[in-house]
Amino acid sequence: MNTPTYITLMQARAVLERLGIQLSRRQIKRAAEMDATGRRKLPFFIDPIDKKLKIERGTLVRIYQELQVEAENNLR
């Protein structure tokens, strides 16, 4: 089992850039903000120690991989 690696908003943006996904600072921030129902587009959470938004690196990459597989499965 791999040890989880928690990354900040800007680190998440860099990880996505390495995958070929270009997002602006505002776009990544909007994905981490809660909507009116208290849900986020991506599973960021507030770190209890430094009070910054974090996400597990593997989870972020897995989400994009799953979306790619879903898109491929939905081909006509």
Side-chain angles (χ1 to χ4, degrees):
M1 185 172 152
N2 293 338
T3 303
T5 303
Y6 298 102
I7 56 177
T8 64
L9 281 171
M10 291 306 109
Q11 291 168 327
R13 184 173 169 233
V15 166
L16 293 174
E17 281 182 9
R18 284 192 290 271
L19 296 175
I21 301 164
Q22 301 287 326
L23 297 175
S24 69
R25 288 179 185 229
R26 181 67 186 136
Q27 286 173 310
I28 194 75
K29 190 173 180 177
R30 287 189 68 217
E33 292 174 346
M34 287 188 183
D35 64 11
T37 61
R39 299 189 69 191
R40 300 178 195 278
K41 291 180 185 175
L42 293 172
F44 282 91
F45 64 94
I46 298 175
D47 185 298
I49 297 171
D50 67 7
K51 307 294 186 217
K52 292 182 180 181
L53 284 170
K54 302 266 178 104
I55 191 170
E56 203 281 316
R57 184 187 181 284
T59 300
L60 180 64
V61 172
R62 189 184 79 247
I63 288 168
Y64 277 86
Q65 289 172 339
E66 288 173 359
L67 289 170
Q68 176 64 35
V69 168
E70 183 180 323
E72 290 172 359
N73 290 338
N74 288 330
L75 284 175
R76 293 181 186 225

